[in-house]
Amino acid sequence: MPRYELVSHALCPYVQRAAIALLEKDVPFTRTTIDLGAKPDWFGAISPLGKVPLLKVDDEVLFESAVICDYLDETLAPRLHPADALQRARERGWVEFGSAILNGIAGLYNAPDAAAFSATCRELAARFARIEAALGDGPYFAGARFGMVDAAFGPVFRYFDVFDRIGDFGILDGLPRLDAWRAALARRPSVRAAASPDYPDALLAFLCRRPSWLGARAQEFCSIAA
């Protein structure tokens, strides 16, 4: 069995995707957490893009979460992608859709004023409505099978666990299938273990430091937590 080491950052959702895939495969791995604001020299030497996650497989280094997850799925059971090529391609598309949502979430916490924040909320709500239309009876994206789309969206919903502490922004309102999916992912052991127990407070502290409209709203709750 190869040795797996996941190089990560505490708040990175793409790291969580890779961690979920490793946990679903039930293989031992270690984590090395770095500060992206003060990257060690060894990290720059092995990370072509200067980003996490990285997966060390013995002496080889893989980068980009989609590549890492696909490698794990091709080499370790159980498979998280479907066997059928067409369905596999469809689900990979929804994984990329999840990445687009993460970009929208970054726009949300970086929005400089209420107008920009509201516009981003509307854009995200429209994207989540598209997912609502694609979901079936659950509990997971593909029904009873937990798959790579679920691994991609577990970290997405984790953001909203913290956003909900700050205010009701209406982004996920009126989406019953998505709400049930979110709850099922929150109960999944691999999703729960993909982030550290202090993740909610760490994310809230990160939001409080943003020079943005949401950052200003979050500061009240940071004061309460302190």
Side-chain angles (χ1 to χ4, degrees), residues 124-146:
L124 283 170
R127 290 186 182 274
F128 280 113
R130 294 291 296 269
I131 304 171
E132 174 79 6
L135 289 169
D137 295 331
Y140 301 118
F141 182 83
R145 176 181 62 84
F146 182 93

Side-chain angles (χ1 to χ4, degrees), residues 70 84 102 143 179:
D70 282 350
D84 179 78
L102 287 173
D179 188 57

Side-chain angles (χ1 to χ4, degrees), residues 9-204:
H9 178 268
L11 295 180
C12 178
Y14 296 99
V15 168
Q16 293 175 44
R17 286 186 187 180
I20 291 168
L22 284 160
L23 290 161
E24 288 289 332
K25 307 294 183 177
D26 196 25
V27 293
F29 68 99
T30 59
R31 291 198 202 200
T32 299
T33 301
I34 67 164
D35 179 356
L36 291 177
K39 300 172 185 175
D41 291 341
W42 63 262
F43 176 78
I46 64 174
S47 178
L49 297 176
K51 300 191 300 184
V52 292
L54 300 178
L55 182 68
K56 293 183 180 180
V57 185
D58 290 333
D59 295 326
E60 294 288 337
V61 178
L62 301 178
F63 61 98
E64 284 296 298
S65 63
V67 173
I68 291 169
C69 289
D70 282 350
Y71 164 77
L72 293 171
D73 213 41
E74 290 169 7
T75 58
L76 296 168
R79 294 295 298 270
L80 298 180
H81 274 309
D84 179 78
L86 182 60
Q87 292 304 311
R88 188 163 61 250
R90 174 181 177 268
E91 292 197 8
R92 281 178 171 145
W94 283 107
V95 168
E96 288 305 307
F97 194 84
S99 297
I101 286 181
L102 287 173
N103 288 336
I105 288 172
L108 194 71
Y109 61 66
N110 285 316
D113 51 44
F117 182 85
S118 295
T120 306
C121 284
R122 290 192 295 271
E123 292 170 4
L124 283 170
R127 290 186 182 274
F128 280 113
R130 294 291 296 269
I131 304 171
E132 174 79 6
L135 289 169
D137 295 331
Y140 301 118
F141 182 83
R145 176 181 62 84
F146 182 93
M148 206 64 81
V149 182
D150 302 291
F153 274 86
V156 169
F157 293 127
R158 185 169 273 127
Y159 274 103
F160 286 88
D161 294 341
V162 176
F163 292 160
D164 289 349
R165 293 166 60 178
I166 301 171
D168 181 4
F169 305 120
I171 297 170
L172 304 182
D173 287 355
L175 304 174
R177 288 181 175 178
L178 188 115
D179 188 57
W181 185 34
R182 176 184 178 182
L185 293 181
R187 294 191 296 269
R188 187 80 177 184
S190 64
V191 175
R192 294 172 65 89
S196 64
D198 66 349
Y199 174 90
D201 289 338
L203 178 56
L204 184 59

